[in-house]
Amino acid sequence: MIKVTLKDGKVLEFEGPVKAEEVVKKIGMGLYKAAMAVKIDGEVFDLMTEIKNDCSIEVLTFDDEDGRWTLRHTASHILAQAVKRLYPKVKLAIGPAIDTGFYYDFDADFSITPEMLETIEKEMEKIIKEDLSLERFELPRIEAIKFMEDLGESYKVELIKDLPEDAVISFYKQGEFTDLCAGPHVLSTGRVKAVKLLSVAGAYWRGDEKNKMLQRVYGTAFTKKSELEDYLKMLEEAKKRDHRKLGKELDLFSIHEEGPGFPFFHPKGMVVRNMLEDFWRKEHTRRGYKEIKTPIILNEALWHQSGHWDHYKENMYFTKIDEMDYAIKPMNCPGGILVYKNSMHSYRELPLRMGELGLVHRHEISGALHGLMRVRCFTQDDAHIFMTPAQIKDEVLGVINLTDYVYKLFGFEYHVELSTRPENSMGSDEDWEHATNSLREALEAAKLDYKVNEGDGAFYGPKIDFHLKDCIGRTWQCGTIQLDFQMPERFDLNYIGEDGEKHRPVMVHRTIFGSIERFIGILIEQYAGAFPTWLSPVQVKILPVTDRANEYAKQLEAKLKDMEIRVELDLRNEKIGYKIREAQLEKTPYMIILGDKEVEAGNVSVRSRKEGDLGSMEFDAFIEKIKEEIDKKISNI
RNA sequence: GCCGGCUUAGCUCAAUCGGUAGAGCAACUGACUUGUAAUCAGUAGGUUAUUGGUUCGAUUCCGAUAGCCGGCUCCA
């Protein structure tokens, strides 16, 4: 007798071994139809799995992340099967499910064109219609290798050979097509009700640029056609929030062929920038930071000493002054260190928090550039904290809290990563371990969930990274906290301790916004260009209905300017509807409409970009309203 | 940097089979004095990214370069 415990605590009993799908059928046929996979004692399995012992079971549908991944993984096999049917010579690499769908990497001696995707998609539809059952089987290592060798699938052979000795090597077969795969998969190809191929892109085999570039086909799959359509619509909508598009439309910034990756900020973009910087300064002053500014060009020798020459040269720009070699700074730390070294420091001064809005230049490869998100020059809202080892945890915690405060203000959801020692790095293992553990402790003290990113730290220390999402869900690293024992050593930094002796301080390099440019890019997408009033380039537009209201409009404009409210007056000889439409498209938070009635009553008619016509009110009442919104930095998207 | 795609007026986009480019918006001029998302009329605007080739003739076909877009790699 086998007892299967369901999620709600109910227990089903079976005479002997039973397939998971039979258990699900017994729960209900509706659920069976929606089931993608099952979780048996917390682990995900196929529905065709045979249950031999007592266990607890949870049915996974498309609404569960694991269920979704199962369906999409099967969709990727359908893609591979379709490609093999149409182009038998193409070799298969890997084809996993991803957050938004799935992909499959192919090695073909021809280019897969967007037109071919349509053909492949049709073949996929056929395979779905054939409703082929998926069968799982295992092979011993030698046979598995032989199996794939016979099929000429050299990438699969390599994959098998790299599996650990004791690994179970499983295959999934659907019709004439068999793929090496750990699973799980849905019962049959017919379960994939809606599938769409989205794009082709190059991808290196195993993600290594030294390897051959394969062709990656991206797609997505759903259990309902309507879900697919909704998703595609959502993607279209999301693209309208793209900061590159909005940046142009709202005249915030531009990037020119004359300077790829070097953005130009226009007057309206500068307002956003300056407001962010003002806010940044206030928050940092409040938290005991001092501000410095260090030069952009410094002698190359400094960069030898810092280790950048050995570890970061490829990303740096160089120049000559009077036959001497200089470098354009890619980071602010060496400059900050020179400031620290400029005077003696007592333990009483520590922690010393030195902020710098520093413009850095980095040579990013051309293919990496992306609007304001990845550029070749950007301003880091940097700070270097010099401290005693005992102060590490509190200081790191302080930065974590500040970051959380700032991100919450903008309504961002973020995720955190802890990056550990990379290959090309400097310092002893002990230092790295100490530094990494300190960061880990701070994260745990802050009760933050985080993901470990092995080998992704800076060359001088491990780091905590804060990632924010853009309009289509790509994440970008913004805030970072990097712990550094190396620079203090290299630059022989010290402070005088209580004992009157010299001691080595520890350094934290940290940013909150990360780069002002990237942060603005994220902000634009977060708000779809409709900045909260405190950040809006223009906060109020005054729109006279006829020129009889012009004088009154000018008076109000002057008053608003006096109160440091950013105002524009539209005196053009246009209809009020036209002026409103334009102000709305510019995403101006408030419009003041002035006609004969307002002139006579001495009040204002207010329109909000969000709520439309608010009716007439006293000018002072409007001032109070907008002032409060600005002071409290209310996000009225 | 790599793979694929794209590049036509300031912006968004047309142009049949290869026959030297057209619209809307914006700009400018004029009329209209207007009440909560586009008033009307007119004017001007282009070496079709650059460059080489094929052709009697290239926006169109082929090559190179640059930039951009989607990924890979890399990273704030």
Side-chain angles (χ1 to χ4, degrees), chain A residues 452-547:
Chain A
V452 176
N453 219 340
E454 295 293 350
D456 219 29
F459 68 82
Y460 45 77
K463 55 181 190 165
I464 294 172
D465 293 327
F466 296 80
H467 293 250
L468 296 174
K469 273 187 189 165
D470 73 5
C471 62
I472 59 169
R474 288 177 291 214
T475 70
W476 299 90
Q477 185 189 316
C478 289
T480 183
I481 307 173
Q482 312 178 347
L483 199 47
D484 179 4
F485 293 96
Q486 309 308 321
M487 297 280 168
E489 201 64 40
R490 289 203 158 220
F491 284 94
D492 188 28
L493 300 188
N494 51 56
Y495 65 90
I496 307 300
E498 224 170 335
D499 53 7
E501 299 293 320
K502 280 186 181 177
H503 296 273
R504 189 73 77 213
V506 181
M507 260 178 96
V508 156
H509 311 235
R510 46 110 284 178
T511 64
I512 309 294
F513 297 145
S515 112
I516 309 268
E517 289 75 4
R518 177 176 287 182
F519 201 78
I520 289 174
I522 298 270
L523 275 177
I524 293 170
E525 302 199 352
Q526 165 87 351
Y527 295 122
F531 292 107
T533 307
W534 73 278
L535 278 174
S536 271
V538 178
Q539 296 168 315
V540 180
K541 266 198 139 178
I542 303 180
L543 314 175
V545 178
T546 70
D547 53 20

Side-chain angles (χ1 to χ4, degrees), chain A residues 106-161:
Chain A
F106 301 103
D107 183 5
D109 54 7
F110 55 89
S111 293
I112 298 174
T113 62
E115 294 76 56
M116 289 163 79
L117 291 190
E118 285 178 36
T119 315
I120 297 169
E121 210 176 281
K122 283 203 188 99
E123 192 60 41
M124 290 174 75
E125 302 280 4
K126 268 192 220 162
I127 294 166
I128 290 167
K129 229 179 229 148
E130 288 165 22
D131 197 18
L132 306 169
S133 297
L134 278 97
E135 294 164 40
R136 181 179 187 280
F137 64 91
E138 292 172 10
L139 287 179
R141 195 180 192 84
I142 307 290
E143 283 172 47
I145 292 171
K146 171 98 174 39
F147 183 75
M148 278 303 172
E149 272 174 351
D150 290 348
L151 287 172
E153 298 289 0
S154 50
Y155 294 96
K156 299 290 179 189
V157 172
E158 193 180 325
L159 287 173
I160 298 170
K161 284 184 176 164

